[in-house]
Amino acid sequence: MSAASKLSAQIKSGPMVVAPGAYDCITARLIEQGGFPCVYMTGAGTSAAHGLPDYGLLTMSEMVDNARRITGAISVPLVCDSDTGYGNELNAYRTVQEYERAGVAAIHIEDQVFPKKCGHLDNKELVSREDYFAKIRAAAAARRSKDFQIIARTDSRAVAGFDEAIRRANGAVEAGADIVFVEAPQTLEEVAQVPKLVKGPCLLNMVLNGKTPLPTIPEAEAMGYRIA
């Protein structure tokens, strides 16, 4: 079974997938040895490992190279940050192809302008809904295996409000996203509302000292999240 097939099965059934963040092969191996079913290659962590802030400074090829090294070191699925897809929908199409060739199981693509910022920083800027949905459609069309998961991330909560974040999340599902990632809800009530309002499986990004008040892992699962 491929890594993408393993992750797809995990998302569809069983307990919520807990995927700690890794930024290199050593951290990924530690996560696997700790018994976790999945590893998440963090863009912020990968940037920091390169001595850079999380401002979209790493290129697609640098991120894919890191992902390829990690997938060669572990046997559990790897989910990867792919920022904005590194351009427009044409770039997003190629981004999916490169990550899938590297053995990655899923990527997330966000709706910030390029270059982006860390999702828990202020003064983010968004692309239009139309441009965002075009990227998600292109990403879904680019994959060779339907098990390769397209995670649609929206950073619109901080810029345009919670209702707009839900509108973009559901629009992304309609455009072909498999999983939705509403970044940085600002209250526990909002965290709990996301899985109820979004018409697809949801991911919760648990960032220490970020803008989101964190539930426990069991609480997140009880709220309806499928991956954290």
Side-chain angles (χ1 to χ4, degrees):
M1 181 181 289
S2 69
S5 297
K6 288 179 184 178
L7 179 63
S8 178
Q10 289 171 5
I11 296 295
K12 290 175 182 175
S13 62
M16 181 181 72
V17 176
V18 179
Y23 55 85
D24 64 6
C25 296
I26 294 174
T27 50
R29 286 289 292 272
L30 289 170
I31 291 166
E32 182 179 27
Q33 289 173 10
F36 292 96
C38 185
V39 174
Y40 209 116
M41 191 184 90
T42 152
T46 305
S47 294
H50 283 72
L52 297 170
D54 190 17
Y55 283 165
L57 297 174
L58 287 186
T59 64
M60 182 266 284
S61 57
E62 287 174 311
M63 291 288 284
V64 170
D65 285 346
N66 196 42
R68 186 177 292 108
R69 289 189 292 269
I70 292 174
T71 58
I74 60 175
S75 59
V76 296
L78 179 67
V79 180
C80 288
D81 186 343
S82 67
D83 293 332
T84 65
Y86 306 100
N88 62 19
E89 62 267 33
L90 297 177
N91 302 95
Y93 193 99
R94 183 182 174 216
T95 293
V96 169
Q97 292 179 322
E98 295 296 332
Y99 273 104
E100 191 171 12
R101 287 190 191 106
V104 170
I107 62 170
H108 79 243
I109 296 177
E110 63 203 60
D111 58 354
Q112 288 192 55
V113 299
F114 182 79
K116 51 74 61 87
K117 291 182 177 180
C118 169
H120 291 258
L121 295 177
D122 295 325
N123 302 315
K124 296 182 288 186
E125 297 180 56
L126 304 177
V127 298
S128 68
R129 285 187 208 167
E130 292 74 18
D131 288 347
Y132 176 44
F133 299 154
K135 285 188 189 184
I136 299 301
R137 283 193 293 270
R143 57 191 170 180
R144 290 174 293 176
S145 169
K146 293 300 181 183
D147 286 330
F148 184 88
Q149 303 286 287
I150 304 299
I151 303 171
R153 167 175 153 175
T154 177
D155 285 69
S156 53
R157 168 61 187 94
V159 179
F162 184 73
D163 290 343
E164 175 65 10
I166 298 301
R167 279 191 290 270
R168 287 187 175 226
N170 284 321
V173 172
E174 293 176 5
D178 303 288
I179 301 168
V180 170
F181 172 0
V182 175
E183 176 67 300
Q186 296 183 8
T187 66
L188 279 175
E189 181 180 5
E190 288 183 357
V191 173
Q193 283 297 306
V194 169
K196 296 176 182 176
L197 298 174
V198 173
K199 299 172 183 177
C202 293
L203 177 151
L204 177 63
N205 189 21
M206 304 182 74
V207 178
L208 187 64
N209 299 323
K211 292 186 177 294
T212 303
L214 298 182
T216 64
I217 293 292
E219 287 170 344
E221 184 170 17
M223 289 174 182
Y225 285 94
R226 295 303 304 137
I227 182 169

